[in-house]
C-alpha cells in the first residue's frame, strides 16, 4: 500500500485534478482549502488530513484503489473495521478520528524516545 507516500499521493491528486480539468484554485475552492495548501499537497510537501484527503477524493470522484488501497483485500479484521468506520464517518467524526490517531502516534513517539 502506498497510502503514506507523500510523493505518490501528490502525483495521484495532481494527475486526477488535471484529468478533471480543474485548476488548483478550483479544487481548493470545492474542498474548502487554500490554493497554497493544494499546491503544497501536490508538491509532496504536505500530506492532507483525513478530512481533506477524503474531500479531495470525493471531489475528484476517485476510488481509494487509485491510491494503492484496496479495501477488499485486507486480511486484518481490525483494519477492516477501522477502514469501514472512516468510510462511513461524517466530517465531525473524521476530525475526531484524526485527532485521536495523532494523539496516539505522539504518545508512542514520546514513549519510544525514553
Amino acid at each position: 500500500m502506498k497510502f503514506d507516500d507523500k510523493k505518490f499521493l501528490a502525483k495521484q491528486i495532481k494527475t486526477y485534478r488535471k484529468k478533471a480539468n480543474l485548476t488548483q484554485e478550483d479544487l481548493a475552492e470545492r474542498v474548502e482549502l487554500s490554493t497554497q495548501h493544494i499546491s503544497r499537497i501536490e508538491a509532496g510537501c504536505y500530506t492532507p488530513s483525513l478530512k481533506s484527503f477524503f474531500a479531495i477524493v470525493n471531489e475528484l470522484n476517485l476510488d481509494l484503489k487509485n491510491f494503492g488501497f484496496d479495501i477488499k483485500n485486507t486480511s486484518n479484521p481490525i483494519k477492516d473495521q477501522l477502514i469501514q468506520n472512516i468510510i462511513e464517518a461524517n466530517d465531525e467524526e473524521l476530525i475526531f478520528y484524526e485527532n485521536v490517531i495523532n494523539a496516539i502516534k505522539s504518545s508512542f513517539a514520546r514513549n519510544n524516545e525514553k
Side-chain angles (χ1 to χ4, degrees):
M1 181 169 75
K2 297 181 180 182
F3 187 75
D4 61 346
D5 183 346
K6 280 195 273 188
K7 293 291 182 188
F8 179 80
L9 284 174
K11 183 178 177 184
Q12 292 295 89
I13 290 169
K14 184 175 185 175
T15 297
Y16 287 100
R17 174 186 56 78
K18 287 184 174 187
K19 283 183 179 181
N21 293 317
L22 296 173
T23 65
Q24 287 180 343
E25 186 175 286
D26 294 334
L27 180 58
E29 185 177 312
R30 291 179 182 197
V31 297
E32 299 178 0
L33 294 172
S34 71
T35 302
Q36 184 178 25
H37 197 76
I38 293 293
S39 175
R40 288 181 178 161
I41 290 170
E42 288 186 359
C45 299
Y46 290 169
T47 301
S49 67
L50 282 174
K51 179 182 177 185
S52 297
F53 175 74
F54 285 114
I56 291 167
V57 166
N58 186 53
E59 188 59 42
L60 297 176
N61 296 314
L62 298 177
D63 189 309
L64 291 178
K65 291 178 185 178
N66 295 104
F67 295 90
F69 193 70
D70 190 353
I71 294 169
K72 295 179 183 175
N73 289 337
T74 67
S75 59
N76 182 325
I78 295 170
K79 185 183 284 187
D80 291 342
Q81 185 59 54
L82 288 170
I83 292 166
Q84 192 61 39
N85 289 343
I86 290 169
I87 290 169
E88 295 172 357
N90 61 37
D91 288 347
E92 185 178 327
E93 291 167 331
L94 283 174
I95 292 168
F96 176 77
Y97 294 157
E98 180 181 29
N99 289 337
V100 168
I101 289 168
N102 287 337
I104 291 168
K105 286 173 73 175
S106 293
S107 178
F108 280 138
R110 282 192 304 274
N111 286 336
N112 287 335
E113 291 174 357
K114 294 179 181 182

